[in-house]
Amino acid sequence: MSQQENVILEMKDVKVQFRLDEGLLKAVDGVDLRIKRGKTLGIVGESGCGKSVTSQALLRIVPKPGEVQGEIRLTRKKKDGSLEVVDLAKLDARGKEIRDIRGAEIAMIFQEPMKAFSPIHTIGNQIMEAILLHTTDDQDEAYRIGVEILKKVGMSNPEQRMSEYPHQLSGGMRQRAMIAMALSCSPSILIADEPTTALDVTVQAQVLQLINDLKSSHDTSVIFITHDLGVIAEMSDDVAVMYLGKVVEYTDVDTLFHHPKHPYTKALLNSIPSVMRESKRLESIEGTVPFPMNLPKGCGFYTRCKLAKDGVCNVEDVPLVEVTAGHSVRCLLVDEV
Amino acid sequence: MTQQEFVLDVRSMKKYFPIKQGFMKKTVGFVRAVDDVHIQIRPGETLGLVGESGCGKTTLGRCVLRAIEPTSGTALFQDRQGQVKDVLKLNNHDLRAIRRDMQLIFQDPYSSLNPRMTVLNIIAEPLICNGLARGEALKERVKELMEMVGLNSRHLERYPHAFSGGQRQRIGIARALATNPKFIVCDEAVSALDVSVQAQIINLLQDLQEKLHLSYLFISHDLGVIQHISNRVGVMYVGKMVETAATKELFRNPQHPYTEALLSAKPVPDPRKKSNRIILAGEVANPANPPSGCYFHPRCPYAQDICKSQAPEWKQVGEGHYSACHFAGELQLQGAVAQ
């Protein structure tokens, strides 16, 4: 099936658990996702829903004592052109294989460019480090690629920027440098973890446009993680809504915003004050997200859901069910909603 | 219009922070954080203040309360006896008295509450400072305040760490309401919260406004929130107010290119509305060394020669609609149209 070939990364029942003194913390609890070639998958959810940990699991950079379980199947091209499938979850997190993939196959843009860059190395050195690791051994060649990529992300005076330190750049410029670094080895998947949250709206608009342009010119797949539904609508082809470590709804972006099925998605959409909608009162979700430790059985949203039924929703864990082609919902009452 | 119409009438507010350099700390320049700003707030009204980081919106909010000392200007405030006083001319004693009527809600519910104080002590502090209640009456008042903001009054003896972000923000709101103020500055009061919790707090603020007839100066960088909560909106850019108008008017019929760009830059939560967005080049100007003429001209798509040399005047372009642009009223700018 051509559909299958286009899937570049597939996550099956991925779990990330932290064994803490207080108990077992299930940060990611059985996530199934597919990332298609050249498309953007948006992951949206509130803080603590496991969206960042999911992306860390892909790169196997989950902080200790986190453990990754399940299957993460990455399809990649070998040097001779044939395709091979690697299960990232089975790799040694500190081994050579995963280090070849990090940066080269899957690259990441972090939320805070100031924290993600080393303050004591120049932008040029940091970009060249990745290139020297993955693409070439030649310093001059690496420098040339570095300048090229900085130019591509719209930095003025790329040669000068190469010898500047991160603190000399403004927030938007730093994020551009970050994107340049991520793209320097032409990865097939780019993970963007809240890349614009720390930026002002006018600068955010610039960065979002840049990511979209580069995505189409490089044919890169993007995993876009954010809590901002506006940005999701702007950027994504498919969207996964996460709540308490689980995907509660997974569909294409148009269906999500116009025919959402899960009560959480609906409530979330109704709770954003929007420029386009004038209403007197916002619909809010009662309570707050529970702490993901020692959770009771049943639907994670049970305690806050307006439609929750005692004896139905709080009995067994709710499976993610495909209601129509390409639209999966984790809700027992989906037919009644 | 007479002065009595406004709870707060701010004229020509300026706050220049000196830049000091060298051994003798010689002043070499000024950061014009707030530069000649006028705002008026009517009783029971919310004035939204929107702008990007570094535009001076927080500084303006603090200057109004005299939490920091403004460089010059007047801020006429009507206190609970109906007397109009200039906040900036009051001595310490009178300032203390008038501060009962004006309060501040902070952005970060984590750093704005003392972790070593119980909720009771936190909310009671303004009451004790102002000598408003003691003993049993104090406790009763705190309980009443907690219920008013939707907290369980049995949690009186708990410490802030036992509460979630949304609940902490409620504690901050209860503390601000303790002295029965008339006017509250909400400085990014919902920005640190998740959307579902943000909606709860916005609703709470609106309910309280109706019940207690409060006036808000609501500072935020989020246009969606501003549009939802405000009656009128002021847009700031590099220390200057560039446009004020009634909310609907501002969003439908912006008269300043910066407002237009802000409106169009905001991502809309609807994939069918992929906007023909105006993307501004460059970033916000440095308020220590602003561009000549109109501060916005290096980024403005409509800039002409006059914008480079001459600062625009603050002029009226419609009923209650002011804009600081040479071409206000002449440009056809696109707004964000409501469905």
Side-chain angles (χ1 to χ4, degrees):
Chain A
M1 258 166 61
S2 64
Q3 184 82 32
Q4 219 54 32
E5 278 163 31
N6 268 328
V7 174
I8 183 161
L9 186 98
E10 191 170 16
M11 303 177 80
K12 272 190 188 159
D13 198 28
V14 172
K15 291 181 179 170
V16 182
Q17 303 182 329
F18 293 83
R19 260 175 236 286
L20 305 174
D21 294 343
E22 295 90 343
L24 186 67
L25 191 151
K26 296 177 179 172
V28 178
D29 193 12
V31 163
D32 301 272
L33 289 172
R34 282 181 307 279
I35 291 111
K36 297 175 197 138
R37 195 175 295 278
K39 299 278 186 206
T40 300
L41 170 73
I43 302 182
V44 66
E46 296 180 278
S47 39
C49 73
K51 51 193 195 301
S52 286
V53 180
T54 306
S55 68
Q56 289 170 353
L58 291 181
L59 284 172
R60 301 296 309 278
I61 50 171
V62 175
K64 281 189 174 173
E67 298 158 22
V68 181
Q69 295 163 4
E71 264 181 72
I72 307 171
R73 296 155 63 85
L74 171 75
T75 310
R76 67 161 177 174
K77 265 202 183 99
K78 281 200 287 197
K79 289 214 174 75
D80 56 17
S82 60
L83 296 174
E84 68 166 341
V85 177
V86 198
D87 185 353
L88 302 180
K90 300 279 180 301
L91 297 180
D92 174 13
R94 326 187 86 201
K96 184 176 182 313
E97 262 188 291
I98 189 77
R99 288 171 60 187
D100 279 345
I101 289 169
R102 284 181 200 146
E105 287 287 330
I106 308 177
M108 188 149 179
I109 308 172
F110 295 91
Q111 172 174 2
E112 292 252 359
M114 198 60 211
K115 285 186 194 152
F117 275 117
S118 158
I120 55 164
H121 295 97
T122 60
I123 298 282
N125 273 337
Q126 298 186 52
I127 293 177
M128 280 163 64
E129 185 189 2
I131 303 170
L132 287 169
L133 263 175
H134 297 297
T135 317
T136 170
D137 288 328
D138 183 6
Q139 285 274 348
D140 295 338
E141 171 77 0
Y143 182 82
R144 202 189 51 72
I145 299 175
V147 171
E148 190 71 16
I149 195 86
L150 281 181
K151 206 180 283 170
K152 214 177 265 175
V153 298
M155 300 266 263
S156 52
N157 300 335
E159 285 91 357
Q160 192 197 326
R161 300 286 183 215
M162 286 292 275
S163 56
E164 282 182 350
Y165 290 90
H167 73 265
Q168 291 173 291
L169 304 179
S170 67
M173 279 299 154
R174 244 178 257 143
Q175 201 55 287
R176 279 170 197 263
M178 185 91 220
I179 294 170
M181 186 156 96
L183 290 176
S184 60
C185 300
S186 313
S188 44
I189 299 174
L190 180 68
I191 303 173
D193 186 0
E194 306 256 10
T196 58
T197 308
L199 304 175
D200 281 320
V201 272
T202 57
V203 180
Q204 166 175 297
Q206 296 168 2
V207 171
L208 292 181
Q209 194 191 35
L210 176 69
I211 294 177
N212 260 342
D213 289 352
L214 293 170
K215 180 186 106 182
S216 40
S217 64
H218 282 66
D219 199 28
T220 310
S221 312
V222 180
I223 302 176
F224 203 99
I225 298 168
T226 178
H227 66 276
D228 187 332
L229 284 157
V231 175
I232 283 284
E234 196 79 22
M235 300 295 289
S236 316
D237 299 300
D238 296 310
V239 186
V241 182
M242 285 189 71
Y243 189 78
L244 274 184
K246 289 192 168 91
V247 174
V248 294
E249 185 154 11
Y250 177 53
T251 179
D252 64 275
V253 66
D254 194 75
T255 316
L256 188 93
F257 281 89
H258 289 282
H259 306 285
K261 289 254 191 223
H262 197 282
Y264 177 63
T265 316
K266 286 186 176 175
L268 209 54
L269 286 170
N270 284 330
S271 65
I272 20 173
S274 164
V275 173
M276 308 306 274
R277 186 157 33 102
E278 284 176 6
S279 58
K280 274 276 145 254
R281 213 177 152 76
L282 293 172
E283 214 178 283
S284 64
I285 309 176
E286 288 299 311
T288 47
V289 184
F291 194 68
M293 197 183 279
N294 305 327
L295 289 170
K297 268 204 175 286
C299 174
F301 192 51
Y302 175 73
T303 48
R304 303 176 75 191
C305 186
K306 278 186 185 147
L307 307 159
K309 279 187 187 159
D310 189 18
V312 179
C313 300
N314 56 351
V315 183
E316 278 299 315
D317 282 346
V318 184
L320 188 67
V321 181
E322 193 160 33
V323 283
T324 50
H327 189 173
S328 314
V329 183
R330 194 185 290 275
C331 180
L332 291 172
L333 309 170
V334 66
D335 299 324
E336 298 167 39
V337 175
Chain B
M1 278 182 216
T2 55
Q3 231 112 63
Q4 274 69 33
E5 260 190 71
F6 302 115
V7 175
L8 182 74
D9 186 355
V10 175
R11 297 282 158 121
S12 306
M13 178 74 85
K14 285 181 189 164
K15 176 66 193 176
Y16 293 178
F17 292 100
I19 305 167
K20 296 189 172 169
Q21 230 169 46
F23 176 63
M24 299 299 284
K25 297 270 181 274
K26 214 172 103 192
T27 302
V28 293
F30 290 98
V31 173
R32 293 158 192 234
V34 174
D35 199 1
D36 206 8
V37 169
H38 315 272
I39 50 172
Q40 280 96 31
I41 300 172
R42 295 189 184 89
E45 182 187 62
T46 304
L47 176 71
L49 207 53
V50 68
E52 295 179 278
S53 45
C55 73
K57 50 193 194 299
T58 295
T59 309
L60 177 62
R62 305 228 159 150
C63 281
V64 166
L65 301 177
R66 240 173 110 188
I68 47 177
E69 205 64 41
T71 309
S72 68
T74 57
L76 300 175
F77 182 76
Q78 198 179 34
D79 67 7
R80 64 184 66 202
Q81 281 87 34
Q83 283 175 304
V84 178
K85 290 177 180 161
D86 186 350
V87 182
L88 307 186
K89 294 212 174 66
L90 296 177
N91 59 28
N92 278 347
H93 179 263
D94 292 341
L95 189 61
R96 263 189 100 115
I98 210 165
R99 281 223 177 111
R100 275 177 57 188
D101 294 334
M102 41 201 333
Q103 288 289 330
L104 179 60
I105 299 172
F106 296 91
Q107 166 168 13
D108 187 350
Y110 291 84
S111 60
S112 62
L113 302 177
N114 186 338
R116 297 184 178 209
M117 286 165 79
T118 61
V119 176
L120 172 66
N121 288 334
I122 290 172
I123 300 176
E125 199 174 21
L127 295 168
I128 298 168
C129 285
N130 287 294
L132 295 177
R134 292 166 72 181
E136 218 29 57
L138 179 73
K139 214 166 179 174
E140 280 311 307
R141 173 73 179 141
V142 172
K143 279 186 183 168
E144 184 194 343
L145 285 162
M146 284 181 78
E147 311 235 296
M148 202 192 286
V149 298
L151 288 168
N152 190 336
S153 59
R154 278 179 307 175
H155 297 164
L156 218 51
E157 299 294 338
R158 292 196 181 180
Y159 288 89
H161 72 83
F163 294 90
S164 69
Q167 287 174 318
R168 284 184 215 211
Q169 201 55 294
R170 288 174 196 265
I171 299 172
I173 294 171
R175 175 174 62 183
L177 292 175
T179 58
N180 250 330
K182 290 173 65 182
F183 169 65
I184 298 181
V185 175
C186 307
D187 187 0
E188 301 270 12
V190 298
S191 308
L193 307 172
D194 275 320
V195 273
S196 69
V197 180
Q198 176 178 300
Q200 293 170 10
I201 299 295
I202 291 175
N203 285 340
L204 173 68
L205 287 171
Q206 286 184 320
D207 291 345
L208 290 170
Q209 177 167 46
E210 212 164 282
K211 207 157 110 194
L212 306 171
H213 204 60
L214 298 167
S215 309
Y216 293 135
L217 176 62
F218 196 92
I219 300 169
S220 177
H221 65 278
D222 186 331
L223 281 162
V225 173
I226 285 283
Q227 189 215 26
H228 185 84
I229 205 165
S230 314
N231 304 101
R232 284 187 309 125
V233 181
V235 183
M236 285 185 79
Y237 188 73
V238 198
K240 294 216 183 238
M241 192 70 85
V242 296
E243 186 168 4
T244 53
T247 308
K248 259 190 188 165
E249 167 79 1
L250 186 103
F251 279 81
R252 289 195 178 149
N253 179 25
Q255 288 297 333
H256 195 285
Y258 179 63
T259 312
E260 183 194 34
L262 263 189
L263 292 178
S264 107
K266 159 101 184 143
V268 180
D270 183 351
R272 291 182 191 173
K273 295 234 160 39
K274 294 240 156 115
S275 48
N276 44 339
R277 136 170 323 169
I278 304 156
I279 299 211
L280 292 177
E283 290 181 37
V284 179
N286 177 1
N289 183 20
S292 61
C294 172
Y295 290 176
F296 188 55
H297 87 256
R299 305 177 77 193
C300 181
Y302 309 100
Q304 313 238 344
D305 285 341
I306 183 175
C307 305
K308 289 176 193 151
S309 55
Q310 240 177 313
E313 271 174 42
W314 182 239
K315 59 184 173 190
Q316 186 161 13
V317 288
E319 171 80 46
H321 193 160
Y322 295 83
S323 165
C325 175
H326 289 297
F327 304 103
E330 294 167 34
L331 296 169
Q332 285 296 316
L333 303 177
Q334 83 188 42
V337 190
Q339 282 165 343

